[in-house]
């Protein structure tokens, strides 16, 4: 294959550049479903509390306990946050990189001082942490996350192919 043909083939394999809802230019790239599933599954599910049922003389689960209900809501938030982190970090390739001007970061730090936003888990001197914080809090809007999520999941065609590989009788 000639050099020009190789370059054309390579370019056609590149995801197209899109302008995200925030105005940031990026390539949306597929994220391995197994990565998303694994980060979500790494979040520990709270244990269902029990109570002693005197009529039956034994401990029984109490999924209606208000503390457990709060823990389950937090569990779901943490799982969604883990998935979003994987999708944002691996699913968006910034065309122009992180801006040289750190005005966006200073604004986030102001919000952190005035709200419950917590950036303390990030090393703001580390390039990868800075890229993640920029993608997560500045570059990626809600609709963009949905777009990245669709790229991570199997297409309808992939699902149908998988279904067709199963052998069995029709009912």
């Amino acid at each position: 294959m000639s050099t020009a043909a190789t370059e054309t083939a390579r370019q056609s394999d590149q995801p197209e550049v899109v302008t995200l809802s925030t105005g940031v230019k990026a390539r949306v790239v597929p994220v391995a479903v197994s990565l998303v599933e694994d980060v979500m599954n790494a979040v520990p599910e709270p244990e269902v509390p029990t109570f002693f049922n005197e009529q039956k003389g034994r401990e029984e689960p109490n999924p209606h306990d208000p503390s457990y209900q709060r823990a389950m809501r937090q569990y779901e938030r943490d799982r969604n946050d883990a998935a979003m982190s994987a999708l944002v970090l691996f699913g968006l390739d910034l065309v122009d990189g992180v801006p040289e001007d750190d005005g966006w970061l200073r604004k986030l730090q102001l919000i952190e001082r005035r709200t419950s936003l917590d950036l303390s888990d990030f090393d703001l001197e580390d390039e990868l942490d800075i890229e993640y914080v920029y993608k997560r809090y500045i570059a990626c809007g809600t609709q963009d996350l949905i777009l990245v999520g669709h790229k991570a999941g199997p297409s309808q065609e992939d699902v149908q192919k998988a279904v067709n590989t199963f052998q069995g009788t029709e009912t």
Side-chain angles (χ1 to χ4, degrees), residues 20 26-32 35-36 39 80-95 98 122 126-137 139-140 144-145 148-149 152:
L20 302 175
R27 289 181 184 85
V28 178
V29 295
V31 178
L35 173 65
V36 177
V39 299
N80 290 335
D81 186 60
M84 185 172 72
S85 293
L87 290 171
V88 166
L89 188 60
F90 290 93
L92 289 177
D93 181 20
L94 301 173
V95 172
V98 176
F122 302 106
D126 181 79
E127 286 182 28
L128 190 55
D129 278 18
I130 287 287
E131 177 184 342
Y132 172 75
V133 168
Y134 179 75
K135 286 177 177 180
R136 166 100 188 237
Y137 294 108
C140 187
D144 307 319
L145 189 59
V148 174

Side-chain angles (χ1 to χ4, degrees):
M1 191 180 290
S2 72
T3 306
T6 303
E7 182 62 21
T8 301
R10 188 186 65 75
Q11 286 176 355
S12 67
D13 289 342
Q14 291 290 320
E16 73 176 283
V17 173
V18 297
T19 301
L20 302 175
S21 64
T22 59
V24 174
K25 292 189 183 330
R27 289 181 184 85
V28 178
V29 295
V31 178
V33 173
S34 60
L35 173 65
V36 177
E37 288 175 353
D38 285 354
V39 299
M40 290 178 71
N41 291 335
V43 176
E45 186 172 351
E47 288 191 34
V48 179
T50 60
F51 74 100
F52 186 75
N53 184 331
E54 291 187 24
Q55 291 178 335
K56 295 182 180 179
R58 66 178 185 224
E59 289 285 322
E60 291 189 348
N62 181 15
H64 303 293
D65 179 279
S67 296
Y68 176 70
Q69 293 293 316
R70 282 190 299 277
M72 283 303 293
R73 286 190 298 273
Q74 185 63 49
Y75 166 72
E76 287 301 321
R77 282 191 297 271
D78 291 347
R79 282 176 51 90
N80 290 335
D81 186 60
M84 185 172 72
S85 293
L87 290 171
V88 166
L89 188 60
F90 290 93
L92 289 177
D93 181 20
L94 301 173
V95 172
D96 299 320
V98 176
E100 295 285 325
D101 175 12
D102 69 347
W104 65 270
L105 181 57
R106 290 182 296 150
K107 289 177 182 177
L108 273 180
Q109 290 168 326
L110 174 64
I111 290 173
E112 178 183 29
R113 290 191 300 273
R114 296 185 171 269
T115 68
S116 61
L117 177 66
D118 184 8
L119 300 174
S120 65
D121 286 342
F122 302 106
D123 176 358
L124 299 178
E125 300 299 319
D126 181 79
E127 286 182 28
L128 190 55
D129 278 18
I130 287 287
E131 177 184 342
Y132 172 75
V133 168
Y134 179 75
K135 286 177 177 180
R136 166 100 188 237
Y137 294 108
I138 305 299
C140 187
T142 303
Q143 292 301 315
D144 307 319
L145 189 59
I146 292 168
L147 176 66
V148 174
H150 284 301
K151 283 274 194 177
S155 68
Q156 287 293 75
E157 183 178 305
D158 292 338
V159 171
Q160 191 57 52
K161 284 180 185 175
V163 167
N164 292 341
T165 63
F166 288 102
Q167 294 181 357
T169 59
E170 291 186 33
T171 57

